[in-house]
Amino acid sequence: MAKADRYSPSSSPLYERFPLKYTNHRILDVVVSLLLASLLLYRLLHLHHHGIAWLIALSCESWFAFFWLLAVSTKWTPAEFKTYPERLSERVEERGLPAVDMFVTTADPVLEPPIITVNTVLSLMAVDYPVSKLACYVSDDGCSPLTYYSLVEASKFARLWVPFCKKYNVHVRAPFRYFSVAEVSSGNGESSEFRQECEKMKEEYGKLCCKIEEATGKQPSSWDVTYSGDLAAFAHVERRNHPTIIKVIWENKYDTWAGEEGLPHLVYISREKHPEHPHHYRAGAMNVLTRVSGVMTNAPLMLNMDCDMYANNPLIVRYAMCVLLDARREEGFVQFPQSFYGALKDDPFGNQLVVLLQFVGAGISGIQGAFYGGTGCFHRRKVIYGLCPVDNTGKQDRREFSEKELLRIFGTSIEFAESAGLALKGHTNSQTNTSRGRLLDSVEVANQVAGCNYESSSNWGKPNIGWQYGSTTEDVLTGLGIHTRGWSSVMCNPYPVAFLGCAPTGGPASLTQQKRWATGLLEILISGRNPLISVFTAKLQFRQCLAYLWINNNSNFLSSAIPSSLLIASSTTPISSRSCKIQESTS
Ligand SMILES: O=c1ccn([C@@H]2O[C@H](COP(=O)(O)OP(=O)(O)O[C@H]3O[C@H](CO)[C@@H](O)[C@H](O)[C@H]3O)[C@@H](O)[C@H]2O)c(=O)[nH]1
């Protein structure tokens, strides 16, 4: 097939949508709905005989019936998407693939040990995608020299690890998981050479862990690297009050197309913090990552990850490309499900999100598309910059902005405004390293756009621009904003699962997490960005709105149901979470 017709919709599709037939579920849903309706009718007809007790019962049952209808509507037309990464090479040459900026956020070196972040970064640096198209940015809201030190050491290990993974087609590219099994394997079959190299790699990884562990137990002043050297920027910083620190840990300096050679760029960012400026938690961190990457590499696509989720499937970027390069319909974002390792038996606290992913996830896929789940998601940069999709007449909202407008919307950096203008026109870099030394040259501008004052006279965090402020579940709010503008999204669920992370393992920890999600969702419900309003004033589909209302109700229900179930079970489960404490620790 000629590469020229790579985006032709007539050629075999890169992904397909299959409606699912859950006939039995539907029958059951209808029966329960009828039973509920008859119960409500019965209550209503006999209300005058029973007084206040029945009135209370009627209101509770009506609320339940409403909640039930939301759930039925959300699940009614389930669908799933199938992607064909093997067809990508027929459509687009390797060097024609778009560049991707990958973001990892971390906030606390104690609750999120750097070795976890290091594994996430290593798994991303080793994905099966042209190296010169990738850049990895790590945002550290903890401003921790330990995290920085660990990443520097990890980049040294990556020079061995990434070629090893590619040479032997290793399936799991986060070393802590790869070496956790008794029998490690190669995708290319066993050989004595593989065994030898694998042993060496295990030894090197052991050394990396030891270095990080040793550093964790020591004061930075006694590390190999001291504050006076590479770590000078961290001297005397307070976690909540410090200037921006940006370090280019690794720059892939190939001037020309280097295919699989080398490593992707690796950049460390600790944005400026000041007690008088709100930092907006993860949403603030994501906006800084977006701006810094905008002036450094400006890739048209962005992947975002929590630091505790690693890439479990090395082909993830290619799976996402199947959706994002397909010409039939421009999707706003591609979400991969959140899956977790180390689950408790029978998942007593529902942390594996099984119902949410299998039933509700499939249901939402059949409406306007997956919710944005905060991690494991590929966004188009132009969508995050506020662009609307092509409308029914084939027109997209204007892409041309004057420099003045760009500066008003995106802040005072001329360099960033230029890069945003290009992104909105779709003219972003196809390759992340277009010229030697580009990253180092842009550190000064990157420092400017990462400052805590930068957003003050701009639209960042306001409706349509960047990650949205105003809710602790910035992911749902940001995804809702994108759907509200009329974009659809896709849930991509490859095998093996794309990303794996760790979930809270204790009841109280789960409760805190659920409570935070419930609070965030409630903040959305009572704000001007309530999905019900968007149905009438914007392009949110009605059933998608009901799905957003369902997730809101569901989360609030869970946050109140978990303590009850704990009381009933007299649970003595210990508190064992990191994630639930992060928002508290960074506030
Ligand atoms: O001020 C902050 C707070 C958090 N984080 C990072 O944000 C991520 C998620 O935070 P966490 O406290 O672990 O929240 P969870 O409830 O586990 O995360 C889920 O819920 C969040 C809120 O809806 C989403 O942002 C996440 O992507 C989603 O995985 C982690 O990598 C943190 O390091 C920051 O970078 N800065």
Side-chain angles (χ1 to χ4, degrees):
M1 183 184 301
K3 303 265 160 110
D5 67 329
R6 62 192 194 193
Y7 298 129
S8 156
S10 57
S11 42
S12 32
L14 288 174
Y15 79 101
E16 281 176 291
R17 179 179 177 277
F18 294 98
L20 296 171
K21 285 201 170 62
Y22 286 164
T23 314
N24 292 345
H25 279 117
R26 278 190 175 188
I27 294 171
L28 206 67
D29 287 347
V30 171
V31 171
V32 174
S33 304
L34 289 175
L35 287 174
L36 269 175
S38 47
L39 175 68
L40 291 180
L41 192 67
Y42 174 74
R43 286 256 190 242
L44 261 179
L45 293 178
H46 297 85
L47 197 57
H48 56 285
H49 297 310
H50 297 86
I52 190 80
W54 272 47
L55 192 63
I56 295 172
L58 177 67
S59 26
C60 294
E61 285 154 5
S62 305
W63 181 252
F64 179 79
F66 171 65
F67 186 31
W68 173 258
L69 288 179
L70 292 183
V72 172
S73 156
T74 305
K75 295 184 298 176
W76 194 248
T77 48
E80 69 176 2
F81 290 88
K82 198 158 189 260
T83 37
Y84 307 104
E86 65 281 3
R87 292 181 190 167
L88 257 186
S89 57
E90 294 167 10
R91 304 298 181 82
V92 51
E93 288 171 356
E94 287 285 286
R95 55 174 64 215
L97 286 167
V100 181
D101 287 338
M102 307 181 288
F103 303 153
V104 178
T105 49
T106 183
D108 188 316
V110 177
L111 300 172
E112 298 168 324
I115 192 69
I116 298 281
T117 309
V118 157
N119 270 278
T120 301
V121 168
L122 287 170
S123 72
L124 289 176
M125 289 181 92
V127 289
D128 182 3
Y129 200 72
V131 166
S132 49
K133 307 273 177 178
L134 296 172
C136 183
Y137 294 85
V138 181
S139 155
D140 177 18
D141 268 353
C143 192
S144 159
L146 178 61
T147 303
Y148 172 65
Y149 170 78
S150 306
L151 288 170
V152 172
E153 291 302 319
S155 72
K156 294 176 194 161
F157 174 68
R159 279 167 241 172
L160 303 172
W161 176 246
V162 174
F164 169 78
C165 290
K166 292 188 175 166
K167 182 173 175 190
Y168 293 107
N169 191 18
V170 165
H171 293 315
V172 180
R173 298 187 179 181
F176 83 115
R177 292 291 285 174
Y178 183 64
F179 295 121
S180 68
V181 292
E183 274 296 297
V184 290
S185 60
S186 146
N188 297 343
E190 301 292 298
S191 69
S192 60
E193 190 197 1
F194 165 70
R195 287 272 146 228
Q196 267 176 4
E197 283 199 41
C198 188
E199 274 310 308
K200 184 171 171 252
M201 215 49 65
K202 196 171 179 178
E203 202 182 302
E204 291 294 331
Y205 179 62
K207 283 187 201 160
L208 172 68
C209 293
C210 284
K211 278 188 192 167
I212 295 175
E213 261 167 44
E214 270 174 34
T216 309
K218 286 182 190 171
Q219 286 303 310
S221 53
S222 57
W223 295 355
D224 304 356
V225 200
T226 64
Y227 275 148
S228 58
D230 205 17
L231 291 179
F234 293 90
H236 316 299
V237 295
E238 280 173 48
R239 191 176 150 170
R240 294 179 181 83
N241 189 7
H242 63 85
T244 300
I245 301 174
I246 296 181
K247 300 260 184 194
V248 178
I249 295 178
W250 176 260
E251 180 167 4
N252 183 357
K253 287 192 175 150
Y254 284 100
D255 275 344
T256 50
W257 167 249
E260 288 297 309
E261 277 186 62
L263 292 180
H265 304 306
L266 178 59
V267 181
Y268 170 92
I269 303 161
S270 185
R271 60 186 163 134
E272 185 185 8
K273 291 251 183 88
H274 194 278
E276 277 167 23
H277 288 274
H279 60 81
H280 300 292
Y281 302 100
R282 185 173 185 270
M286 290 304 300
N287 283 334
V288 168
L289 282 165
T290 306
R291 291 197 295 273
V292 170
S293 63
V295 294
M296 285 189 154
T297 45
N298 207 21
L301 302 169
M302 304 182 287
L303 161 67
N304 57 89
M305 300 277 293
D306 288 354
C307 62
D308 56 0
M309 305 224 52
Y310 66 87
N312 183 58
N313 184 330
L315 291 174
I316 38 147
V317 185
R318 290 177 190 271
Y319 278 104
M321 287 311 145
C322 289
V323 178
L324 294 165
L325 292 184
D326 199 285
R328 290 166 301 166
R329 183 191 175 102
E330 210 179 15
E331 302 286 348
F333 61 89
V334 181
Q335 175 69 55
F336 289 85
Q338 292 192 30
S339 305
F340 305 95
Y341 58 86
L344 293 180
K345 186 171 177 292
D346 299 330
D347 190 22
F349 307 113
N351 290 321
Q352 299 295 309
L353 310 177
V354 176
V355 174
L356 193 65
L357 295 177
Q358 279 182 13
F359 293 98
V360 182
I364 300 166
S365 288
I367 316 176
Q368 203 172 341
F371 294 149
Y372 166 41
T375 178
C377 186
F378 287 80
H379 288 277
R380 293 182 197 277
R381 192 178 279 273
K382 63 182 183 183
V383 172
I384 289 295
Y385 288 176
L387 204 73
C388 292
V390 178
D391 66 16
N392 293 339
T393 60
K395 281 195 197 136
Q396 190 151 43
D397 70 345
R398 75 201 167 114
R399 293 160 171 230
E400 297 285 349
F401 289 84
S402 66
E403 188 182 276
K404 205 169 151 206
E405 271 179 297
L406 289 169
L407 290 170
R408 181 184 56 77
I409 299 170
F410 296 107
T412 50
S413 161
I414 292 175
E415 290 83 352
F416 184 79
E418 268 172 22
S419 84
L422 289 174
L424 286 162
K425 281 190 224 156
H427 292 167
T428 39
N429 295 332
S430 66
Q431 207 159 315
T432 58
N433 49 340
T434 45
S435 65
R436 187 182 288 270
R438 182 189 161 90
L439 294 195
L440 285 172
D441 291 348
S442 43
V443 169
E444 202 184 318
V445 185
N447 268 291
Q448 183 196 347
V449 297
C452 58
N453 249 331
Y454 185 79
E455 291 181 352
S456 53
S457 53
S458 72
N459 287 1
W460 285 99
K462 296 181 188 157
N464 301 345
I465 308 296
W467 268 259
Q468 303 290 285
Y469 301 152
S471 165
T472 45
T473 48
E474 86 297 328
D475 46 352
V476 178
L477 186 55
T478 305
L480 172 63
I482 294 172
H483 285 141
T484 296
R485 269 179 277 142
W487 289 101
S488 53
S489 55
V490 164
M491 170 67 81
C492 184
N493 201 355
Y495 181 81
V497 289
F499 300 102
L500 276 174
C502 54
T505 50
S510 306
L511 176 61
T512 314
Q513 190 181 50
Q514 290 288 349
K515 190 179 130 237
R516 199 174 63 245
W517 289 347
T519 312
L521 292 167
L522 204 62
E523 281 164 345
I524 298 174
L525 204 62
I526 58 178
S527 73
R529 286 178 268 180
N530 182 317
L532 266 176
I533 301 174
S534 307
V535 171
F536 299 105
T537 58
K539 293 179 180 163
L540 186 69
Q541 291 180 17
F542 180 63
R543 283 184 52 223
Q544 186 79 6
C545 158
L546 297 187
Y548 273 107
L549 293 179
W550 177 85
I551 193 181
N552 199 305
N553 256 309
N554 185 55
S555 199
N556 282 304
F557 168 75
L558 277 178
S559 68
S560 48
I562 290 179
S564 332
S565 65
L566 285 177
L567 280 177
I568 294 165
S570 303
S571 170
T572 52
T573 322
I575 298 177
S576 56
S577 154
R578 36 143 294 282
S579 71
C580 63
K581 298 181 192 158
I582 291 164
Q583 300 262 3
E584 286 85 344
S585 81
T586 52
S587 58

